[in-house]
Amino acid sequence: MKKFTITEYGIIILAAGDSRRMRRPKQLLDFNGQSLVRHAAWTALSTDAAFVMVITGAMHREVSAEIEDLPVIRVKNRFWEEGMASSLRRGILFAQEKKKWKGGLLVMPCDMPFISKAIIEKLVRAQDESGLPIAASKNADYLGMPAIFHRSMLGELLALQGDAAPRTMIADQIEFTVPVDFPMA
């Protein structure tokens, strides 16, 4: 597997859900004086990623307004009710039109405020050093996002269905996954 740096990866931020259980838009909850989606976008922008994309859906207008002044690509997922996999698919298909990234994609939900530039860099480094196509965040009982998927995995990502899609793929591809400690995941 060819090794890449963060400059050759795109970042997809998942922010399309309707937060049904919370009864208010989780993406717009305040964290240290800014919304979760804005915080996630700033974190992603602090890296040298080839691009940062935010997938919106249920709260498209409100989420877009939160980040309209940031240099991120906003992509609306009309099929957000189908689950996280549909947002991931929408982001991948849109990203494939871009020519400036070669490595793969880092996928992160907007509702994990402790994701930092250091964690993103740690994921990139772990994937690079391991030579494995997936680097996934790990805490005591969790292996999942944020995670990096090498370009060679995009076909499998596109085939995912449902809401726990990236985590399901990571579990199914455990032998191709390097775990990266992230206690706050």
Side-chain angles (χ1 to χ4, degrees), residues 125-146:
R125 206 169 32 258
Q127 185 187 46
D128 182 46
E129 291 170 0
S130 72
L132 295 172
I134 302 171
S137 298
K138 177 188 181 302
N139 73 15
D141 58 352
Y142 173 87
L143 186 62
M145 293 191 291

Side-chain angles (χ1 to χ4, degrees), residues 15-30 35-37 58-60 62-63 66 110-111:
D18 68 350
S19 307
R20 207 169 301 151
R21 290 176 299 202
M22 292 199 92
R23 298 187 186 154
R24 61 185 186 165
K26 187 172 13 175
Q27 304 92 319
L28 303 178
L29 291 177
D30 184 83
S35 66
L36 285 175
V37 70
M59 305 292 173
H60 172 72
E62 297 89 338
V63 171
E66 270 303 295
C110 76
D111 62 352

Side-chain angles (χ1 to χ4, degrees), residues 24 31 39 60 72 74 101 123 130 144 158 176 178:
R24 61 185 186 165
F31 179 76
H39 175 74
H60 172 72
V72 300
R74 292 173 299 193
W101 65 286
L123 286 161
S130 72
L158 286 169
F176 301 111
V178 58

Side-chain angles (χ1 to χ4, degrees), residues 7 50 55 58 76 81 90 98 103 107-108 119 129 158 165-166 171:
T7 60
I55 307 297
K76 183 177 181 181
E81 291 179 280
R90 181 75 174 102
K98 299 255 168 232
V107 181
M108 60 186 267
I119 292 297
E129 291 170 0
L158 286 169

Side-chain angles (χ1 to χ4, degrees), residues 50-84:
F51 64 86
V52 175
M53 180 186 307
V54 178
I55 307 297
T56 65
M59 305 292 173
H60 172 72
R61 193 176 8 235
E62 297 89 338
V63 171
S64 289
E66 270 303 295
I67 57 173
E68 70 184 354
D69 61 323
L70 300 180
V72 300
I73 302 164
R74 292 173 299 193
V75 178
K76 183 177 181 181
N77 176 15
R78 294 180 299 131
F79 305 106
W80 61 268
E81 291 179 280
E82 293 177 13
M84 197 180 302

